[in-house]
Amino acid sequence: MADAFSLREVLAAFQTCVTERREVLLGPYLSGWRGLIRFLHSLGAIFSFISKDAVAKVQIMESYCDGEQRDKYVSLQSMVEYELANGLVGVQKRSGGPDSGCRTVLRLHRALRWLQLFLEGLRTGREDSRTSVICTDSYNASLATYHPWVVRKAATVAFCALPPRNAFLEIMNVGTPEEAVAMLGEALPYICDVYGITQELFAQHKLLDLP
Ligand code: 1Q0
């Protein structure tokens, strides 16, 4: 299938995100997210409230990346510098103005932590472990902190619809479950790297609690 999801593409995107100067490029970062969202779509309508939000956030970022100031949105570093220098980042509560790139990326960044934990859980889980449990544990240890009760509830219900671990590994389209596990072992350091650099950048500029 021409546009079947493959973990390989997502991996490649996150792999090309980080430059020699340890900058995170927005182009591949967003294409990694588009790949993940495509995968989420293939899991069924029960996940659509999640993918809708993720799509909206990726679209906000795409409009910055294609907009008049596109040269400021090449990397996370240039974005942070530009938005802070121009007072575009609202640090009080949301003002009703356009969402900044910084607050939007922060939401994706927090979700990347979930992804990291989830993929690590899948990789190291036993063959008969339940994807829904791995997913719920990863969520509770990361993203859940930032979500109100209703969202947490809806997310937890949706996770129950996830296929068993081996079936899940198969729909990643990388080959057998063993091959998928090997691929995850290769992919995770890149995702961790992107996460770590972003976390440090946002911490440095006190952007980790943006409303
Ligand atoms: C495999 C199951 C997927 C489970 C996804 C876990 C995340 C649950 C998140 C639930 C969020 C729901 C809706 C809205 C939330 C927003 O309020 C919140 C904050 O934004 P704001 O503007 O209100 O301040 N938004 C977020 O926290 C962003 C959430 C983005 C979630 C993106 C998830 C993309 C998932 C992709 C599937 C990956 C499957 C992994 C296997 C592939 C192997 C590479």
Side-chain angles (χ1 to χ4, degrees):
M1 265 196 301
D3 78 341
F5 172 86
S6 171
L7 169 61
R8 250 178 256 271
E9 290 164 41
V10 174
L11 159 63
F14 284 111
Q15 199 167 339
T16 49
C17 264
V18 178
T19 69
E20 275 172 18
R21 296 168 54 204
R22 313 281 297 154
E23 290 181 323
V24 178
L25 297 174
L26 265 166
Y29 186 84
L30 295 175
S31 90
W33 276 105
R34 278 191 297 267
L36 290 171
I37 292 167
R38 213 155 15 108
F39 181 71
L40 197 55
H41 276 144
S42 75
L43 293 176
I46 192 165
F47 294 98
S48 62
F49 77 105
I50 302 174
S51 60
K52 264 196 203 127
D53 186 70
V55 166
K57 293 196 166 35
V58 168
Q59 278 173 348
I60 291 173
M61 292 316 301
E62 282 171 345
S63 71
Y64 284 124
C65 292
D66 298 336
E68 264 174 42
Q69 302 296 334
R70 66 173 75 90
D71 56 318
K72 311 292 194 312
Y73 289 86
V74 171
S75 68
L76 293 186
Q77 285 75 4
S78 63
M79 172 189 83
V80 166
E81 193 187 343
Y82 167 72
E83 290 195 342
L84 283 178
N86 290 278
L88 298 170
V89 184
V91 285
Q92 300 302 322
K93 64 177 173 30
R94 286 174 83 180
S95 56
D99 287 341
S100 65
C102 287
R103 73 87 61 194
T104 305
V105 165
L106 178 63
R107 270 58 188 179
L108 295 174
H109 169 67
R110 289 169 176 167
L112 202 63
R113 173 75 185 147
W114 161 80
L115 184 72
Q116 198 183 317
L117 297 174
F118 175 60
L119 296 182
E120 186 59 23
L122 268 183
R123 186 180 81 85
T124 55
R126 290 170 30 166
E127 218 169 284
D128 61 352
S129 50
R130 288 169 54 194
T131 316
S132 59
V133 173
I134 299 173
C135 189
T136 307
D137 289 349
S138 319
Y139 175 74
N140 286 337
S142 58
L143 263 183
T145 323
Y146 307 101
H147 291 162
W149 184 85
V150 277
V151 170
R152 292 204 303 268
K153 193 77 205 154
T156 318
V157 169
F159 297 159
C160 294
L162 289 169
R165 177 176 178 274
N166 276 9
F168 192 88
L169 289 171
E170 269 163 21
I171 51 178
M172 286 181 180
N173 247 332
V174 187
T176 63
E178 293 71 28
E179 287 168 324
V181 163
M183 176 63 96
L184 284 179
E186 270 175 57
L188 271 160
Y190 294 105
I191 293 176
C192 292
D193 207 22
V194 172
Y195 181 84
I197 297 173
T198 312
Q199 181 70 14
E200 200 180 299
L201 175 72
F202 275 56
Q204 210 173 22
H205 294 279
K206 304 198 169 30
L207 298 172
L208 287 170
D209 296 308
L210 290 180

